[in-house]
Amino acid sequence: NPKLEFETYHNVINNDLTNTAKTRHNINPATTEPNPEVPVSTQEDVDKAVAAARAAFKPWSNTTLEERGEKLLAYADAIEGYKHEFAKLLTAEQGKPLAQSYQEIGMATTWLRAFSKMTIPDETIEDTDERRIVLRYTPLGIVAGLIPWNFPILLAVGKIAPAVITANTLILKPSPFAPYCNLKLAELGTHFFPPGVLQVLSGEEDLGPMFTTHPDIDKIAFTGSIATGKKVMAAAAPTLKRVTLELGGNDPAIICDDVDVEAIIPKLATLSFLCCSQICMMIKRLYIHENIYPRFLSAFTSHTASLKVGPGTDPDVFIGPVQNKMQFDKVRSMYQHISSEKWTPALGGNVPDANPDGKGYFFEPTIIDNPPDDSAIVTSEPFGPILPCLKWKNEDDVIARANEGKWGLGASVWSKDIEKAERMARRLDAGSVWVNSHFDVAPGVPFGGHKWSGVGMEWGVLGLKGYCNPQTLWLKKGV
């Protein structure tokens, strides 16, 4: 395996490890202790990286699919070779339990290997004696991947793999809250990809706009909040950049009255509180049929109460800290609503101290018993371990309530009657809809949002096409 140390952190520009005059650091959310220093990139750094990506694009786009696939496979093996170091680093910067960090790294290598074999075949639209019409896909050019802080390894790889296999060049911009794993992913990439193909720049809040407004970047692939997604789309408009936006969710799960309550409770708790609920496609609203509501709520709260909260390095911890102080303050404000709005907590509800220094950004998992449909816990995405349980009895009514609002990322229906569940699922307005599961994702399956939850899709052949220009070829015969 190529040598990679995890003590110092650099930008990667044209396969060189570069430093900046100014540096900054993040903190470990479980301890509030400082993590190492990282670069603060300037416009000059962005211009250098874009120039290197442009110079690399032509030769890279002339490589074969097989060559690019082999490089992705070797890169996946190298990441796997450093899985222990990456897992430790991911937990130190993101806060998630080590077991969940290993799971994320495993998903990332699965994604790389799947994309290494993924192709977009030419489509013959017409083939007659007179002419052949073919639809083909060509690479866009330079892609900027804007990565969030909740799944920094998987969501970086989820842009590296499709960009690279479609012969684009890619510059990663990690979240200012979680730059460490992204910097090491690109540094490791220098051993596999030609200069300029995969680069990374770490920076502060002003770095994103340098990418979205840059005249020589062809596409922005962004994962993050709806509010920032709107800014990305507006900033990309003057240069007519292509955009893929994977934005927030407020996913409903509808539980029918025929379910085996005891069997599904552990799954539902995992799918509500994984990664301290800081996943766009976690269950955020739980609609439970009134016939089973009291029994369900009792079983769900007692199971959730057994989930261990603590630093991600402690054994058996399932819920780590919220990732950063900004998010801690947002989630804390939602917990403060419990008393001000007179919600009924079936579990938890204690508001942590406003100053978490030295203690970490921890919240106890909290379940709100049947709050009003217009309450903030129902109408917004908390991105923290607090969940409303809501009663329903009429199918049309619960579908309407589930579809309410501008969100449309994921949704699920849980029932033993698969025919009924599928009928209900097909009425839900979301990019991914599951029956008897939630948050299932796979590299070959397109993933994206309806309404304000996103524009375009990532992953699968449909996702690959988002990294390409479609081109129709009209081939006249015998002229």
Side-chain angles (χ1 to χ4, degrees):
N1 228 15
K3 189 159 171 36
L4 187 68
E5 52 81 19
F6 284 77
E7 308 304 316
T8 58
Y9 293 83
H10 316 272
N11 285 337
V12 175
I13 300 177
N14 210 31
N15 276 7
D16 294 326
L17 305 187
T18 67
N19 298 312
T20 52
K22 184 180 168 191
T23 61
R24 58 186 285 275
H25 65 263
N26 291 91
I27 62 166
N28 182 323
T31 63
T32 69
E33 294 293 312
N35 282 328
E37 294 294 305
V38 293
V40 175
S41 302
T42 62
Q43 184 69 53
E44 188 185 354
D45 296 309
V46 175
D47 291 343
K48 280 182 186 166
V50 171
R54 182 56 64 197
F57 173 61
K58 186 69 84 195
W60 181 242
S61 65
N62 287 328
T63 56
T64 66
L65 185 70
E66 288 69 30
E67 287 173 82
R68 298 192 299 274
E70 281 167 15
K71 289 183 188 302
L72 283 179
L73 285 174
Y75 182 50
D77 291 345
I79 292 171
E80 200 163 67
Y82 281 104
K83 67 181 177 185
H84 302 304
E85 293 85 349
F86 270 116
K88 191 177 159 195
L89 180 62
L90 181 54
T91 292
E93 75 166 325
Q94 204 286 329
K96 65 182 62 181
L98 270 171
Q100 293 174 30
S101 291
Y102 278 108
Q103 196 176 12
E104 180 174 342
I105 294 157
M107 289 174 80
T109 53
T110 299
W111 259 242
L112 284 164
R113 287 168 183 147
F115 275 102
S116 77
K117 297 175 175 63
M118 222 177 273
T119 60
I120 312 175
D122 288 357
E123 299 166 33
T124 302
I125 294 168
E126 186 182 309
D127 193 358
T128 65
D129 293 343
E130 288 157 31
R131 67 184 184 187
R132 189 158 61 92
I133 306 171
V134 176
L135 177 60
R136 64 190 285 259
Y137 293 85
T138 62
L140 286 169
I142 302 175
V143 178
L146 278 51
I147 313 302
W149 47 257
N150 59 343
F151 268 72
I153 293 181
L154 177 62
L155 295 176
V157 162
K159 299 188 196 311
I160 293 168
V164 162
I165 201 68
T166 50
N168 292 281
T169 56
L170 176 73
I171 309 169
L172 288 178
K173 188 208 78 71
S175 162
F177 293 112
Y180 298 94
C181 287
N182 282 190
L183 291 169
K184 286 298 162 188
L185 282 174
E187 184 179 334
L188 190 56
T190 62
H191 298 279
F192 302 96
F193 305 112
V197 170
L198 174 60
Q199 304 177 90
V200 65
L201 298 177
S202 147
E204 296 181 315
E205 294 295 337
D206 63 347
L207 184 57
M210 294 181 210
F211 281 95
T212 54
T213 59
H214 200 287
D216 202 29
I217 289 174
D218 300 294
K219 175 187 167 91
I220 302 287
F222 171 80
T223 303
S225 70
I226 289 173
T228 308
K230 289 178 180 180
K231 288 180 185 168
V232 168
M233 200 168 182
T239 48
L240 287 174
K241 288 179 180 63
R242 308 309 188 246
V243 292
T244 303
L245 305 175
E246 298 295 349
L247 308 178
N250 191 13
D251 286 15
I254 299 171
I255 315 300
C256 298
D257 62 357
D258 61 350
V259 295
D260 180 340
V261 171
E262 282 65 33
I264 68 170
I265 288 285
K267 295 177 196 168
L268 288 165
T270 298
L271 294 165
S272 302
F273 296 105
L274 189 71
C275 196
C276 196
S277 309
Q278 300 167 108
I279 303 177
C280 50
M281 288 204 299
M282 279 294 92
I283 294 170
K284 309 278 168 58
R285 295 176 285 155
L286 203 45
Y287 293 94
I288 301 127
H289 196 283
E290 64 176 15
N291 291 350
I292 58 166
Y293 186 88
R295 185 161 62 94
F296 181 97
L297 187 65
S298 166
F300 188 60
T301 50
S302 74
H303 181 86
T304 304
S306 74
L307 300 175
K308 190 173 169 186
V309 179
T313 48
D314 284 7
D316 303 324
V317 161
F318 184 77
I319 300 177
V322 163
Q323 201 269 336
N324 58 72
K325 181 64 164 63
M326 175 192 74
Q327 194 57 33
F328 176 84
D329 291 341
K330 284 184 187 172
V331 176
R332 188 173 179 276
S333 136
M334 188 66 83
Y335 276 64
Q336 287 176 308
H337 276 69
I338 296 170
S339 58
S340 64
E341 302 292 322
K342 298 185 172 50
W343 298 338
T344 309
L347 177 72
N350 292 321
V351 182
D353 191 57
N355 179 11
D357 287 351
K359 295 189 284 286
Y361 301 149
F362 293 101
F363 291 88
E364 59 182 346
T366 292
I367 294 164
I368 305 299
D369 179 2
N370 206 30
D373 276 357
D374 62 355
S375 53
I377 189 61
V378 180
T379 60
S380 60
E381 178 185 32
F383 230 58
I386 176 168
L387 177 78
C389 285
L390 302 139
K391 286 183 192 173
W392 71 276
K393 63 176 173 184
N394 173 282
E395 185 181 315
D396 289 342
D397 176 59
V398 77
I399 297 288
R401 290 162 71 197
N403 286 337
E404 185 70 33
K406 294 292 188 185
W407 315 88
L409 195 59
S412 61
V413 180
W414 298 68
S415 172
K416 284 183 180 168
D417 182 341
I418 300 301
E419 224 170 90
K420 175 178 81 171
E422 185 179 342
R423 182 186 73 231
M424 292 173 73
R426 286 175 178 274
R427 297 176 67 193
L428 291 167
D429 195 357
S432 300
V433 183
W434 300 272
V435 167
N436 294 328
S437 73
H438 203 103
F439 188 50
D440 284 342
V441 286
V445 180
F447 153 68
H450 290 189
K451 299 186 281 189
W452 284 11
S453 287
V455 173
M457 300 286 259
E458 293 268 31
W459 307 343
V461 174
L462 187 62
L464 280 191
K465 289 177 179 178
Y467 287 81
C468 298
N469 276 314
Q471 181 185 70
T472 48
L473 279 175
W474 295 73
L475 306 164
K476 279 276 171 75
K477 301 176 185 178
V479 174

